[in-house]
Amino acid sequence: MTTMQPLPGIRIRRLRLAGVSRNYDVDFTQGQRVRDLSVVAGAFSSGKTAVLEFIAYGLGGKHHPRHPEVLRKVRSCLVEVELSGDPHVIERPVGEPSKIAYVRRGTLDSLPLSKPESRTIEPAGAPESLSALLLGHCKLEGVQLREAPSSRESRTDPLSIRDLMNLAFLPNERIASKNFLFENEYMKKHKLKQVVDVVFGVHDDRAVELGQRIKELGARLSQARSELATARAFVDEQNVPTAGALIAERYEGELRELTEQLRALDEAAQAGTAFAGSVRREHQQAAQRARLAAGVVRDCETQLTRMMPLRAQYADDLVKLNMLAEAQRLFDPLSVTTCPACLNRLPAPPSVENGSCSLCSHELPHGDEQLTLGTATAEHSSDEGRLDVAAEIRATKARLKEITAYIEGLDSSLAALKLQAEDAAIDEERAAAAVDEVTSPTVTPFLTARDNLQRRREEVLRHLQHAENATKLQAGLDKRAALVERQEAQIERLREERDRLGDAAQDRDLVVGRISGRYSELLRQWHYPKLSQPMIDTNLVPYVRGDSYREASSGARTLLTLAWQLAVFEVAVETSAAHPGFLMIDSPQKNLGHGGTRDAVIADAIAIDDFYRHLTSWLAEQGAGAQVIIVDNSPPMLVEEIVVVRYSRNEDRPPYGLIDDETTTDEGSPEQPPHPT
């Protein structure tokens, strides 16, 4: 049995929402292979639709779900995809929609096979954009769409992956909608028609468009070749070895050996000098005594440094207090010895005679025998706030004496402390010399051997760095060479397609006819009631019973929109058209028994089993290698084995929802309906 080669395009392997404390995963693989049909089931408002919306966001969508629990818990969205069969991981931050995506080769759980590559989201037509990367794997890189399809001179816009997603993602709001083909949005309506034509290679001016794409890719190829040549020249100048990875591996092994030898040598040296333990302990004790003695000396010197300015301050305060006492004796208590009237010297100083002043005969309130100037008036003034200079002088002298005695004591003990510190330092030097004398004959050979090993280790580290740089340079060369090869293959394929246009160009009517036939076949398999005249016209509008789908009932529109989307997808896969190769459908049972409205006529006539039965058989045969992901509230037992996850919105039956550790609101209510269907 031959191994089936993976189809070009995109396949979804896993979705991971990276959170603050944990991750939230949805796996679409079985073993190492992508499931052809996957169903995400569960209750309403449990996050099923958010799974598809996050996948679309990871593939370049403008927005992501912004439910409160998502913004609280999730920090980035990672989508593991197969691009033309090669696994890649696309990562975009969650919060404000990011303008940058990071793409790396490998899977979510494996070590990265390449350094993450930054890809812009806008503009979609830029060569370094995420859209350009994804469209390149869908064989649509460089496609331009005319703004006015009927005008050959119209300006053009580059095709983006978001335009192509209209054929790969059928959201809930488009199912059964009367605006399914964007009839209310003129530009989107015509762009959808152009996208279908581009996917099947039947749009107008195909040859001109192919020529423009070949020209544009040719310019990119020339630039890529020039960059590759420059890189090779640089590598040649650096004399980089071609087998850098092998050399690096060899040096890594040698580095491990040297590290082990150094460890063994250190253990041997430690064991060989164990006999000197008592000498080492004596040295440690002497060193501790030396540190303590030096610390005491530092403390004493610090105290002296701090106390000397304090003593000077107290001495200065004492001088000021003495000056204040002298001033009071000179000016305040001046004795009266001269008559103030005649200015002759009094025979005797004024005194108190019978309770009155002998000089003015004024009656005094006390009986002092001697009077001084101001004594009488002082009796009428308050003593509060007056400074007792004598008491202050006595207190200051006492403090100054204490400080002086303390400083003299420190100064007298400092010399002895310094001698003790010097003696302790000498003892420590002697103990260190004794350790060296005892251990030197044993340690010296170890030191010599260790120096040699250390030198060899430094050399190996230097060579290892050179080898790693060589590996990185070679990886860069390989990446540029792979880009050149891929662009050469794309140009060759486009040239072959252009050469075939003259003889075997697909007729658009033939393609539309084939899609219309598949549309009719699907409706018959689903037992559409009173089916007649099912068709898709040249404008891609689906009809039944002679009327446009917009005239049908809600349940009928569900079937008609599903049939249209599946018909385009199935025909694209079977004809190897430029379709991404996967299809996501949200709520195929809308209006058929689930939700607020129910079309009784259609719901009673249609068995959802027929829908899933057709997908299962088609994916096993004509659609082998394609992928379909469906979100359904209650899928039938027929597909129970392919349900990849079922959300319950019940704490007793995990998982509760996509963010399965968010089961209560901030106010503590038992349930919340944050998720979309």
Side-chain angles (χ1 to χ4, degrees), residues 59 115 145 150 344 360 367 374 388 412-413 441 445 449 515 585 606 623 636 650:
L59 296 178
K115 181 180 179 182
L145 302 179
S150 59
N344 290 317
C360 64
D388 189 348
S412 61
S413 64
I515 294 174
I585 301 176
I606 300 302
N650 186 334

Side-chain angles (χ1 to χ4, degrees), residues 500-534:
R500 292 196 304 268
L501 284 178
D503 300 328
Q506 295 188 62
D507 183 77
R508 186 177 187 277
D509 292 337
L510 181 62
V511 171
V512 174
R514 186 166 181 175
I515 294 174
S516 180
R518 182 58 55 87
Y519 167 80
S520 302
E521 180 182 344
L522 289 171
L523 292 179
R524 289 191 182 93
Q525 289 185 14
W526 298 343
H527 302 95
Y528 189 93
K530 299 179 183 180
L531 180 64
S532 65
Q533 300 177 329

Side-chain angles (χ1 to χ4, degrees), residues 370-507:
Q370 185 175 2
L371 294 176
T372 57
L373 185 61
T375 300
T377 59
E379 292 296 330
H380 304 286
S381 63
S382 174
D383 290 336
E384 294 182 2
R386 295 175 62 87
L387 178 65
D388 189 348
V389 178
E392 288 295 330
I393 290 175
R394 288 194 298 272
T396 303
K397 285 183 177 179
R399 294 191 190 99
L400 181 61
K401 183 177 180 181
E402 292 174 358
I403 293 173
T404 302
Y406 182 70
I407 291 175
E408 289 175 353
L410 287 176
D411 193 36
S412 61
S413 64
L414 182 60
L417 292 175
K418 287 183 177 180
L419 290 176
Q420 292 178 5
E422 291 176 0
D423 292 341
I426 293 173
D427 291 341
E428 194 230 344
E429 292 178 359
R430 291 174 179 171
V435 172
D436 292 340
E437 183 179 357
V438 172
T439 59
S440 179
T442 305
V443 172
T444 300
F446 288 110
L447 294 177
T448 303
R450 199 179 195 285
D451 290 342
N452 293 333
L453 288 176
Q454 196 65 34
R455 281 194 297 270
R456 286 177 56 192
R457 187 174 183 274
E458 293 297 329
E459 292 177 0
V460 170
L461 285 173
R462 187 169 59 255
H463 290 310
L464 179 60
Q465 184 65 39
H466 290 326
E468 289 177 348
N469 292 337
T471 302
K472 293 178 181 178
L473 290 173
Q474 191 61 44
L477 283 180
D478 294 341
K479 181 179 177 181
R480 295 181 184 277
L483 176 62
V484 169
E485 292 178 2
R486 184 167 64 87
Q487 291 180 340
E488 289 175 344
Q490 288 178 338
I491 292 176
E492 183 63 27
R493 179 179 55 78
L494 292 176
R495 285 174 177 166
E496 292 176 357
E497 186 176 352
R498 183 187 60 183
D499 294 340
R500 292 196 304 268
L501 284 178
D503 300 328
Q506 295 188 62
D507 183 77

Side-chain angles (χ1 to χ4, degrees), residues 145-190:
L145 302 179
R146 288 205 304 265
E147 292 183 1
S150 59
S151 174
R152 293 181 179 273
E153 298 180 358
S154 170
R155 293 186 305 174
T156 60
D157 285 330
L159 174 71
S160 75
I161 189 64
R162 287 197 291 268
D163 299 328
L164 191 59
M165 284 296 289
N166 287 325
L167 301 183
F169 180 23
L170 182 58
N172 180 282
E173 59 268 19
R174 284 187 64 202
I175 293 180
S177 170
K178 291 186 177 182
N179 192 37
F180 172 68
L181 297 178
F182 307 110
E183 284 87 348
N184 299 335
E185 303 170 76
Y186 178 80
M187 291 305 299
K188 292 187 71 174
K189 171 186 173 182
H190 285 284

Side-chain angles (χ1 to χ4, degrees), residues 42-171:
F44 289 98
S45 301
S46 58
K48 302 186 302 300
T49 292
V51 173
L52 303 186
E53 291 176 342
F54 269 117
I55 292 174
Y57 176 69
L59 296 178
K62 287 186 177 180
H63 307 290
H64 62 72
R66 299 186 62 81
H67 312 302
E69 71 279 10
V70 168
L71 298 181
R72 280 196 299 266
K73 294 284 189 176
V74 180
R75 292 297 173 262
S76 64
C77 167
L78 298 94
V79 183
E80 180 184 325
V81 296
E82 286 184 2
L83 302 180
S84 300
D86 192 15
H88 288 71
V89 175
I90 303 172
E91 180 174 3
R92 292 184 69 184
V94 169
E96 290 303 319
S98 68
K99 303 298 182 183
I100 297 292
Y102 300 93
V103 184
R104 61 175 173 85
R105 292 179 58 241
T107 63
L108 285 171
D109 295 329
S110 67
L111 293 175
L113 300 179
S114 64
K115 181 180 179 182
E117 180 182 4
S118 175
R119 289 275 180 170
T120 60
I121 303 300
E122 300 290 351
E128 66 278 4
S129 69
L130 176 64
S131 179
L133 172 68
L134 299 177
L135 290 177
H137 288 280
C138 299
K139 304 181 291 186
L140 291 173
E141 184 178 9
V143 172
Q144 298 287 324
L145 302 179
R146 288 205 304 265
E147 292 183 1
S150 59
S151 174
R152 293 181 179 273
E153 298 180 358
S154 170
R155 293 186 305 174
T156 60
D157 285 330
L159 174 71
S160 75
I161 189 64
R162 287 197 291 268
D163 299 328
L164 191 59
M165 284 296 289
N166 287 325
L167 301 183
F169 180 23
L170 182 58

